[in-house]
Amino acid sequence: MAERGPHRKALIGHRGAPAYAPEHTLYSYDLALQQGADAVEQDLHVTKDGVLVCLHDLTLERTTDVRNVFPTRGRDVLLEGRLARHWFVHDFTADEIQQLDAGSWFGPRFAGCRIPTFQEVVECVGERAALCVELKDPEIHEAMGVDLLSLFATALRRSGLDRPRSGVLPLTVQSFHEPTMRRAAAMFEQPLHLVLLIEPADAHRWSDRDDFEAVAEFATGIGPGKAMIEGRPDLVRWAHEAGLRVTPWTFRASEPGRFASVRAEMAYYLSALDVDAVITDNPDQFPRELSQHS
């Protein structure tokens, strides 16, 4: 069974502070830290030449001007049930991706923001906070002959992030892909947090304590979609009894659900449901008074 760490309520900036700045840019990460984030979250993909970059999507068109810069490089593919033209991250080198504007879509003041490499984010965040890294679609990368986890492990060792840092929360590695998280458990030693992410649609698979005990064999936490646990607080209790931290996602001021504000929503999850951390687009709305409860 995993050993649950000190019950510190933590704030994780989802892709930085994307309510206020273009997601997954150095500007967004820095703003999240200014707003008090204990950690900032990155989604990792791999370029054609094997460089780790921070971007949520498999494709570039939603958050960059890739259509204008490389108009002939898109491919017509069936993605999520729809046939459309897409510009995939893995079809471009890191140098080519650096030519893209990843900020103008959010507003003119952010024109010129770039997609950062993982190394650039490591250097930007430094000792100010922890990193919360999601390995995106490792099974898709594997089908292309790319071992995302091994590339990430090499980057960690190169940066010294596989060792504890005084005053900073341990680095978190997370994925929806359970086989990857099992490999990570064998590859990394503590003090990393290993978190299995869970879609609310899979809630039916989590029916009793034994399910969480099984996860605790290779992980230190779970990251369920928040809808999964509001109506089933036993899930948090069972996870804690198994030694697992619970970090639900994603809290947004634009979608506070039945709550008056995202601050009230986060407070409810942290206090009434006793989750250990929240991932939010609005780090400035975090109820800081709850962050040190034990």
Side-chain angles (χ1 to χ4, degrees):
M1 178 186 299
E3 180 180 354
R4 186 171 173 236
H7 195 116
R8 175 185 178 186
K9 307 293 187 179
L11 162 61
I12 301 171
H14 179 238
R15 311 178 198 174
Y20 314 106
E23 64 184 62
H24 285 319
T25 61
L26 296 183
Y27 192 105
S28 186
Y29 296 133
D30 187 67
L31 181 58
L33 298 183
Q34 293 178 39
Q35 294 180 347
D38 300 299
V40 288
E41 184 240 8
Q42 303 81 47
D43 297 303
L44 292 191
H45 285 288
V46 184
T47 66
K48 184 177 182 179
D49 51 345
V51 177
L52 295 173
V53 293
C54 299
L55 188 76
H56 176 266
D57 299 359
L58 276 168
T59 63
L60 295 160
E61 62 268 13
R62 181 175 66 87
T63 59
T64 78
D65 60 348
V66 68
R67 286 188 176 92
N68 296 328
V69 179
F70 297 105
T72 64
R73 296 279 293 277
R75 292 190 284 121
D76 291 329
V77 297
L78 188 66
L79 186 63
E80 296 181 352
R82 297 178 58 191
L83 181 65
R85 181 157 296 182
H86 296 285
W87 284 254
F88 289 90
V89 175
H90 57 258
D91 286 340
F92 293 83
T93 67
D95 285 345
E96 289 173 332
I97 285 177
Q98 285 295 301
Q99 299 175 40
L100 304 177
D101 183 331
S104 292
W105 67 274
F106 196 89
R109 63 175 292 207
F110 299 107
C113 285
R114 307 297 175 189
I115 293 174
T117 66
F118 178 60
Q119 183 59 38
E120 287 174 329
V121 175
V122 170
E123 294 170 0
C124 171
V125 174
E127 297 287 329
R128 293 186 291 166
L131 302 179
C132 179
V133 180
E134 180 181 346
L135 302 179
K136 293 293 289 186
D137 305 307
E139 66 278 23
I140 294 178
H141 290 93
E142 182 180 355
M144 297 184 294
V146 175
D147 189 337
L148 178 59
L149 178 60
S150 292
L151 285 174
F152 174 64
T154 299
L156 285 193
R157 289 191 291 270
R158 185 185 302 123
S159 302
L161 291 177
D162 57 340
R163 299 186 293 273
R165 294 181 294 164
S166 177
V168 177
L169 294 175
L171 180 143
T172 295
V173 183
Q174 57 186 14
S175 178
F176 288 97
H177 193 238
E178 182 175 325
T180 294
M181 297 313 299
R182 288 184 177 275
R183 284 185 59 212
M187 184 178 295
F188 299 128
E189 297 180 358
Q190 295 302 325
L192 299 184
H193 283 318
L194 300 178
V195 174
L196 179 65
L197 297 172
I198 306 170
E199 291 280 5
D202 294 327
H204 63 281
R205 297 174 48 195
W206 303 85
S207 58
D208 58 38
R209 292 177 177 83
D210 291 344
D211 298 321
F212 297 93
E213 292 283 358
V215 173
E217 294 175 0
F218 63 89
T220 61
I222 59 170
K226 63 184 182 181
M228 176 176 165
I229 61 175
E230 183 178 358
R232 299 182 64 193
D234 281 349
L235 299 182
V236 179
R237 176 168 57 84
W238 292 342
H240 285 169
E241 289 173 353
L244 298 169
R245 292 173 61 85
V246 181
T247 305
W249 49 271
T250 299
F251 294 83
R252 298 180 170 98
S254 59
E255 300 174 347
R258 64 183 179 85
F259 297 89
S261 67
V262 71
R263 182 187 295 272
E265 183 186 27
M266 287 190 282
Y268 174 79
Y269 275 78
L270 290 162
S271 182
L273 298 183
D274 195 27
V275 303
D276 300 280
V278 292
I279 297 179
T280 180
D281 287 1
N282 302 82
D284 61 329
Q285 296 301 306
F286 183 72
R288 180 60 62 182
E289 66 274 9
L290 298 176
S291 64
Q292 300 298 329
H293 283 191
S294 59

